[in-house]
Amino acid sequence: MKGKIMKRGYPVSRIGKRKPGVVALFVCMLLWSLLIAFPIQVSGKKIKNSFKIEKEKKTDKKRDKRGEDQVFEGIEIPMNDTVGSFQLHFAGIEKEDSDILVQQIRKCGFAGYDKEPNSDVESFILINNSENPITGYDVRIDYLDMEGRMLHSRRVKEGCYVPAGETRRFDIKSWDKQRTYYYYLGNSPRRVATPYQVRFSPQYLWISEPESAQLTKDTNR
């Protein structure tokens, strides 16, 4: 029979019809395998990113904890009776003299707050009215509108060195990142902004031994 060469019992016409189906089946299987593999890669990336985010969160927590537990050289003195108790262990300081020392330390304070318009830095002065150098401070700063309502509040804890009977100026990052407020005792901004006032509440000061006591120790060595 012309036009019908038999091969394994099937005509050429039927074999020709089956070849595209085999190719299509192969392509479908390939696409299916890719579709299966692609979500695995995406999920793998998600898992990897989640580990990265979790790691960053843990790092931030460690930083926060490190800031809270930060301890400066010297003795931590609470600035009022509500924030904590203390123990004096300086050599040469009698127990009955501790009250006098604490009274001196609690006369230390903050003043001279300033913030220029459009500035991202705030400044203030720490006044040391005691006979001991100050080596660190922990202060709460409340930001209030002109009617006394709180706008923001934060704790600032930094190491420093203020000799006995002297003052030092310190700069910190401003709370007003959008620069929509200005300090009411400072220069007025050219653009529209809301005035605010501040309230400092010292929590702790760190003091070290008087310089005279340190010199005495060095001389006796």
Side-chain angles (χ1 to χ4, degrees), residues 16-171:
K17 290 181 180 179
R18 285 180 174 272
K19 285 184 179 179
V22 174
V23 174
L25 180 62
F26 176 76
V27 172
C28 290
M29 292 177 65
L30 181 61
L31 291 174
W32 181 255
S33 62
L34 291 175
L35 289 173
I36 294 175
F38 182 73
I40 294 175
Q41 294 178 358
V42 173
S43 61
K45 289 181 180 179
K46 288 182 178 179
I47 293 172
K48 186 177 180 181
N49 291 334
S50 65
F51 281 132
K52 185 178 179 180
I53 294 171
E54 187 67 24
K55 185 177 180 181
E56 291 176 352
K57 288 182 178 178
K58 289 181 179 179
T59 304
D60 293 338
K61 288 181 180 179
K62 288 181 180 179
R63 288 174 183 171
D64 294 341
K65 187 176 181 180
R66 204 164 44 235
E68 292 173 359
D69 298 339
Q70 188 176 4
V71 177
F72 307 113
E73 181 181 355
I75 293 179
E76 180 185 80
I77 303 293
M79 295 301 288
N80 56 73
D81 294 331
T82 62
V83 296
S85 59
F86 64 95
Q87 290 183 348
L88 294 176
H89 51 78
F90 282 156
I93 294 182
E94 300 294 336
K95 186 175 181 181
E96 55 269 18
D97 295 332
S98 63
D99 292 337
I100 298 176
L101 176 59
V102 172
Q103 289 176 5
Q104 290 180 353
I105 297 299
R106 290 182 176 178
K107 289 180 181 179
C108 302
F110 296 84
Y113 176 87
D114 187 30
K115 177 185 176 298
E116 290 296 325
N118 299 325
S119 174
D120 60 352
V121 175
E122 304 171 25
S123 63
F124 54 83
I125 294 173
L126 175 55
I127 304 171
N128 186 357
N129 290 321
S130 73
E131 299 178 356
N132 298 71
I134 296 176
T135 57
Y137 64 86
D138 181 357
V139 60
R140 173 180 169 176
I141 306 177
D142 296 326
Y143 302 86
L144 315 169
D145 65 12
M146 300 311 296
E147 295 183 2
R149 294 172 296 196
M150 184 178 292
L151 300 171
H152 183 66
S153 180
R154 63 172 171 166
R155 291 274 292 270
V156 179
K157 184 178 180 182
E158 297 288 345
C160 65
Y161 186 79
V162 183
E166 298 187 17
T167 64
R168 290 293 185 273
R169 173 178 169 170
F170 299 98
D171 295 330

